[in-house]
Amino acid sequence: MAITQFAAIDIGSYNVSMEIFEVGRKNGLRSLTSVRMPLELGKDTFALKKISMEKLGELIRILTDYKRIMKEYGVTDLRACAKSAFREAENRDLIIDHILRATGIRVDILSNSEQRFLGYKSIASRGEEFQKFIEKGTAIVDIGGGSAQISLFDKDALVSTQNLLLGSLRIRENLSRIDRETLRYDALIEELIRSELVSFRKMYLKNRRIENIILVGDYFTNLIFQNRSDMNKTETRDEFMEWYKSIAEGSPREVGEEMGISSEVSTVLIPMAVLYRMLINEFDVQTIWLPGIQLTDGIAYDYGERKKLIKSSHDFENDILRAARNMSRRYASNKQHNEALVAASETIFNAVRKICGLVPRDRLLLKVACYLHDCGKYISMTDTAESSYNIIMSTEIIGLSDRERSIIANVVRFNTRSMAAYNPAERPKDLSTGDYMLALRLAAILRLAGSLDISYKQKADSLKVSVKDRELHISIGTKEDYTLERGFFDVNSEFFEEIFDLKPMLKVRTLG
């Protein structure tokens, strides 16, 4: 039976954590040990926009020590992930290179959507308890040093997710020059962040009923909710408010003395406590769930899934597609056409995927592109392609990396605009050569599928696709006049043939 010793490393804004897991098909994830070392990388980044050589040296020492621990536990695989402190540092590439040469550890810088998706997977690792909570209106709140992510669920579906630059360390740094001028540090924080929460409520909460709040915690979350053992815990609204009134209204020094922590730590803890209080009031929730998980749980869970050592009961891919559908609805896209486009594109994809090495993840990107292919019409009917590109690049879709979002945006952009296939200097600068070729293939599929419903009337009652002798045979049945679709099919066939070296052939059967 395959069992792997796996180390998950989380390089955060104010500490570096490592957890070692035993990952196997029989028992899933089993934590063997965890360590945490304080290191305020975010203090450099949020103030100076770079990580200092001094902080780099400390980080290398910590990772070197972690390698020693890994060896003791017989770790055979690892993943080290960095978050906003790295993501926003101008010298991040140099820092990553230094770490790799000094320790042999390659650090992955997570995009915000990737980071939050791993946090979300951490909660899903709780299985039935997670499913029970998200059946009703639930908010998942993930507060880090640099930002806070709020994801809203209802009836087992992710309905909205937004990132706010309200991380605890960022708030502290923003107030560092004036915090000594007030006796009510919590009131100062509340004044700073209120407008952001008001805007979030108006745009995304509206009349939605939220019954539960799930906190993807870290060391500070567990301190606030007195969950020191990082274990699963449920707390009532009244219990939290009682703690808040007794402690959080004091100065950082007083809070530190009361909780037995340094005033430096309390200056990070208080902004997080204030934000939790405001969100609990904003959502008017009665139940607060702390699963007692960290990002390291999500990193390990994701690893187990990819290695097929863990089978999830929750459909994460469906969450990504739901987010895309919600986004298309926000920009008034045609639902029936989008669904027809997804079905046709997926059928064509399945017929050609083995020919050019397309993988299931590419199919997901294509389906997201289908849902978002004309979202730019909301802004401009004459420059839909560029407007759609800008909307997608400006909107985070939880679970997709920045790279994947760029691929989707370019597929959508070149669904109607010609692609610079022959002049490398004119190609999109945000795509590598390999990603550019993938975008070409997906765009060719999207164009051909789009021609089958160019009238937006869903005339085709059936669709069959097969490949034979360098020809792509598409057969549809219809009761309606298919002249318009035939014409656009012929127009888009030339591009498809150039990309796949397959000549599309359309057969239309008239149904009685």
Side-chain angles (χ1 to χ4, degrees):
M1 183 177 294
I3 297 177
T4 300
Q5 311 294 98
F6 175 77
I9 300 175
D10 170 15
I11 304 174
S13 296
Y14 34 68
N15 58 52
V16 182
S17 303
M18 180 180 72
E19 192 163 4
I20 296 177
F21 296 86
E22 184 181 85
V23 189
R25 290 188 177 89
K26 182 178 180 179
N27 298 317
L29 290 181
R30 187 168 74 91
S31 177
L32 302 179
T33 189
S34 63
V35 288
R36 178 190 298 115
M37 293 295 293
L39 181 62
E40 288 200 0
L41 292 171
K43 189 172 185 179
D44 278 359
T45 300
F46 304 144
L48 306 174
K49 300 298 181 185
K50 61 187 295 186
I51 295 173
S52 68
M53 292 298 104
E54 179 184 358
K55 286 291 195 299
L56 170 63
E58 293 181 46
L59 177 56
I60 287 174
R61 283 192 291 275
I62 291 171
L63 293 177
T64 300
D65 192 44
Y66 284 179
K67 285 196 71 174
R68 177 187 57 78
I69 298 173
M70 284 185 250
K71 186 176 181 179
E72 292 175 358
Y73 278 84
V75 167
T76 55
D77 213 346
L78 69 92
R79 186 183 184 191
C81 296
K83 299 180 292 191
S84 58
F86 265 63
R87 199 161 55 233
E88 298 182 29
E90 294 174 352
N91 62 340
R92 57 186 175 274
D93 292 337
L94 180 64
I95 297 297
I96 286 177
D97 182 66
H98 282 311
I99 293 172
L100 180 60
R101 288 190 289 108
T103 68
I105 295 175
R106 186 179 301 278
V107 176
D108 294 334
I109 300 181
L110 300 176
S111 67
N112 181 68
S113 58
E114 287 178 298
Q115 173 189 336
R116 306 308 176 175
F117 198 55
L118 287 177
Y120 168 33
K121 283 194 170 185
S122 300
I123 311 170
S125 68
R126 295 294 186 218
E128 292 182 2
E129 197 163 6
F130 169 69
Q131 291 297 134
K132 179 185 71 175
F133 268 93
I134 63 174
E135 282 297 324
K136 299 179 180 179
T138 298
I140 295 180
V141 177
D142 182 359
I143 301 177
S147 64
Q149 190 83 13
I150 303 175
S151 302
L152 303 180
F153 282 79
D154 194 20
K155 297 178 181 177
D156 193 26
L158 176 65
V159 295
S160 179
T161 183
Q162 289 297 316
N163 184 250
L164 309 177
L165 294 179
L166 297 178
S168 53
L169 195 56
R170 191 188 300 274
I171 292 172
R172 188 192 74 179
E173 294 306 306
N174 286 340
L175 297 177
S176 60
R177 296 182 180 179
I178 58 175
D179 59 353
R180 295 179 183 177
E181 298 177 16
T182 180
L183 297 176
R184 286 289 305 276
Y185 187 47
D186 67 315
L188 194 66
I189 296 167
E190 181 172 343
E191 191 172 356
L192 174 69
I193 66 181
R194 177 166 294 282
S195 63
E196 289 288 304
L197 295 186
V198 169
S199 297
F200 174 83
R201 182 186 67 227
K202 287 181 178 179
M203 290 189 286
Y204 301 103
L205 191 58
K206 298 180 180 179
N207 296 321
R208 192 175 301 280
R209 178 78 177 96
I210 303 297
E211 298 185 30
N212 309 305
I213 189 168
I214 302 175
L215 305 182
V216 181
D218 59 12
Y219 169 66
F220 293 101
T221 300
N222 290 323
L223 273 179
I224 291 169
F225 289 89
Q226 304 167 65
N227 191 27
R228 296 179 184 275
S229 60
D230 292 357
M231 296 299 289
N232 192 5
K233 179 182 181 183
T234 301
E235 186 164 301
T236 67
R237 172 199 186 110
D238 290 341
E239 287 173 332
F240 170 74
M241 292 304 175
E242 182 178 352
W243 172 87
Y244 187 90
K245 289 178 181 178
S246 67
I247 294 183
E249 294 181 358
S251 68
R253 181 183 58 80
E254 292 168 335
V255 172
E257 290 177 353
E258 180 71 25
M259 297 190 66
I261 57 178
S262 69
S263 58
E264 185 78 4
V265 170
S266 65
T267 60
V268 178
L269 182 142
I270 294 175
M272 189 177 284
V274 173
L275 186 51
Y276 280 141
R277 177 182 63 79
M278 294 179 71
L279 287 171
I280 289 168
N281 285 335
E282 201 69 62
F283 294 140
D284 193 27
V285 298
Q286 299 300 320
T287 304
I288 304 160
W289 181 36
L290 293 96
I293 48 83
Q294 314 291 327
L295 184 67
T296 49
D297 293 273
I299 295 171
Y301 192 85
D302 181 68
Y303 172 83
E305 275 193 313
R306 287 188 287 107
K307 296 294 184 180
K308 302 188 184 305
L309 297 172
I310 295 174
K311 186 175 181 180
S312 174
S313 60
H314 186 78
D315 189 345
F316 294 105
E317 182 173 305
N318 191 49
D319 289 326
I320 295 172
L321 293 175
R322 283 181 182 272
R325 289 191 200 102
N326 289 332
M327 186 174 164
S328 70
R329 185 165 57 246
R330 187 187 317 149
Y331 292 104
S333 295
N334 186 297
K335 179 181 178 181
Q336 289 73 26
H337 171 69
N338 283 351
E339 294 298 342
L341 189 58
V342 168
S345 294
E346 186 171 15
T347 303
I348 296 171
F349 178 96
N350 291 339
V352 303
R353 68 182 184 89
K354 291 183 179 179
I355 296 172
C356 51
L358 294 171
V359 299
R361 187 70 178 185
D362 300 331
R363 183 193 294 118
L364 173 64
L365 302 186
L366 175 62
K367 291 165 79 170
V368 173
C370 289
Y371 285 117
L372 303 180
H373 76 285
D374 65 352
C375 61
K377 288 181 179 178
Y378 189 86
I379 296 175
S380 172
M381 296 292 289
T382 58
D383 196 10
T384 301
E386 197 64 26
S387 297
S388 297
Y389 173 87
N390 290 329
I391 287 174
I392 295 168
M393 290 302 291
S394 301
T395 307
E396 288 191 330
I397 302 174
I398 192 167
L400 297 179
S401 66
D402 290 344
R403 167 189 163 268
E404 291 173 325
R405 190 167 77 241
S406 178
I407 291 171
I408 293 167
N410 279 287
V411 170
V412 168
R413 173 196 260 170
F414 296 112
N415 178 43
T416 55
R417 180 171 293 183
S418 62
M419 301 185 80
Y422 309 110
N423 187 353
E426 296 179 8
R427 295 177 187 172
K429 294 182 174 57
D430 52 354
L431 294 181
S432 67
T433 300
D435 288 343
Y436 179 71
M437 293 307 300
L438 174 59
L440 276 171
R441 294 182 182 111
L442 299 185
I445 295 173
L446 181 61
R447 285 190 190 188
L448 199 63
S451 66
L452 299 176
D453 191 40
I454 196 67
S455 64
Y456 279 51
K457 290 184 177 180
Q458 295 82 58
K459 296 178 183 178
D461 288 340
S462 61
L463 172 66
K464 296 180 180 179
V465 182
S466 61
V467 175
K468 184 178 180 181
D469 299 330
R470 295 176 64 184
E471 292 180 340
L472 181 79
H473 293 270
I474 298 179
S475 172
I476 67 106
T478 182
K479 297 179 180 180
E480 302 184 48
D481 183 352
Y482 215 65
T483 304
L484 181 65
E485 285 75 12
R486 279 184 182 275
F488 275 85
F489 183 89
D490 291 341
V491 170
N492 289 317
S493 291
E494 183 179 344
F495 179 60
F496 185 93
E497 183 177 4
E498 187 174 8
I499 298 303
F500 285 98
D501 192 24
L502 293 171
K503 184 176 180 59
M505 307 292 290
L506 178 63
K507 180 180 179 180
V508 180
R509 295 174 287 107
T510 302
L511 303 178

